[in-house]
Amino acid sequence: MAITKKKNGKYQVRVYVGYDHITGKRKTKYVTCETMREARLKEAQLITDVETGELVPDWDKSKVQKHYTFDEAYEEWFDIYKRQGRTESTVEKTKYYFEHYLLKPELFGGMYLERMTRKEVQKKVNKFIPTLVTSKTILSYAKTVINWAVDNEEIECNDNPLEHVQMVQAKKMPKRDVRYYNDHQIKLFESGVREFYNNEPAFVAIYTILIRTGMRIGELLGMKWKDVDYEQSIINLHGRMSLVHGVGKYEHGLKNGDDSRTIEFDKTTFNCLKVWQQEQRLNTLSQGKPITRDDFIFNYSRDTVVSRLNAFYGWYNSSHSEMLPYLNIHGFRHTHASLLLSNGVDLKKVAERLGHKDITITANIYADVTPKARREVADKFSEIMGDNV
């Protein structure tokens, strides 16, 4: 406790009020007064306030909890979330979930978190979950926001009602005819693609690369000519084309977090790329804008690749005696992996080629790889038992 006269002629009162329990540093209250008499009176008052408990250090004060709405909690949580190094496409997808579902009155928009009862939340969840295939994923974001508010003691409750709701059955994904092609079907598909796109080498190259490398559609559309090494027959992937606000945007790095991945390609892929590069070179030269190594190999959107694939199926199944079941774009990646695995290629090598961070991801996806592989398992067991086959 002390009173000192400052250079400006005023008097500063300094009174010790305690120690910070976390840092251990001594804390002092300062007050400036005009006269010595006023300073002495203020000093006496502060000492009394400390002794009677009227003057409580900030760190000893109870935290004032807010009556938070779900929307307010989301705004604060999302401000941190978007600055944690996630890709722009991931951040935009998360924002979409909130703006189109979670912040709507039908779910949690405008609700005070401390007033959310399990019964009320359960009713909302029961109505929402069956409406979407991704409903449970969307609700997991809501749970994260509420946990964040509870952990930061921002609301007057110590529990998250979403931790206790019973999850009803979500909307099921429509069952596809096939998840991937067998070796006979994929040969029919390749033959049909060369026939249908006889004068469009770009699309021959697109579907050939998807089939024969197993790369993702975003990786394919993010390829640049400098990524192709013809001498070693390899493609060095460094980025991908992601959807941001429904528009393709190039992002450095790959989906699994790796900076790059190298994929070896075969002679058929080599020839398709060469033919398309020559076609593109002639087209751009005629326009006075020759292609460079930094140009994208395929300047098409995902929608275009998908719509042209649908057009192919319509043509093929109306003009051939043997029908090809519809397979979506990602199905070519599944086809590539399943054919490799069912023909004895090591699981670890397939995982590396697909760009799976963990081999268990590949194992889980292709646990039932193909009928051919399942037959081999049964036959192997019979062989072990010494049966006469």
Side-chain angles (χ1 to χ4, degrees), residues 301-330:
S301 68
R302 291 175 186 235
D303 288 344
T304 298
V305 175
V306 171
S307 64
R308 293 305 305 274
L309 179 63
N310 291 336
F312 163 78
Y313 281 124
W315 164 81
Y316 188 93
N317 288 329
S318 65
S319 58
H320 292 73
S321 57
E322 185 172 355
M323 303 285 282
L324 267 178
Y326 173 79
L327 190 68
N328 66 10
I329 292 292
H330 204 68

Side-chain angles (χ1 to χ4, degrees), residues 113-146:
L113 296 187
E114 73 275 12
R115 298 176 186 173
M116 292 173 69
T117 64
R118 295 184 189 180
K119 184 176 181 180
E120 183 179 15
V121 170
Q122 185 71 62
K123 286 182 179 179
K124 289 176 176 286
V125 166
N126 290 348
K127 289 182 180 180
F128 175 67
I129 288 183
T131 64
L132 296 170
V133 174
T134 56
S135 57
K136 292 184 179 180
T137 299
I138 293 172
L139 287 171
S140 70
Y141 283 99
K143 185 188 295 186
T144 300
V145 167
I146 299 175

Side-chain angles (χ1 to χ4, degrees), residues 170-233:
K171 183 177 181 179
K172 291 185 178 181
M173 180 80 74
K175 190 173 182 180
R176 300 173 188 154
D177 292 336
V178 292
R179 289 183 59 229
Y180 39 73
Y181 284 155
N182 58 33
D183 50 359
H184 173 65
Q185 290 170 323
I186 202 61
K187 288 174 184 176
L188 291 179
F189 178 85
E190 277 202 326
S191 175
V193 163
R194 287 192 291 271
E195 184 181 356
F196 185 65
Y197 295 109
N198 182 45
N199 296 316
E200 297 181 85
F203 288 97
V204 174
I206 285 173
Y207 301 119
T208 298
I209 291 171
L210 289 173
I211 291 167
R212 291 178 175 260
T213 67
M215 70 173 64
R216 301 176 178 92
I217 179 64
E219 294 169 341
L220 177 133
L221 295 178
M223 286 168 48
K224 299 181 180 181
W225 283 114
K226 65 182 179 183
D227 299 331
V228 179
D229 185 335
Y230 286 117
E231 290 187 5
Q232 299 187 61
S233 293

Side-chain angles (χ1 to χ4, degrees), residues 261-290:
R261 182 167 92 255
T262 298
I263 300 179
E264 294 77 9
F265 57 82
D266 60 11
K267 191 67 176 178
T268 299
T269 305
F270 179 101
N271 291 335
C272 289
L273 276 170
K274 276 289 188 180
V275 171
W276 165 233
Q277 188 175 34
Q278 180 62 19
E279 174 86 5
Q280 191 183 47
R281 182 177 287 118
L282 292 174
N283 291 339
T284 54
L285 278 173
S286 66
Q287 298 169 7
K289 296 180 181 179

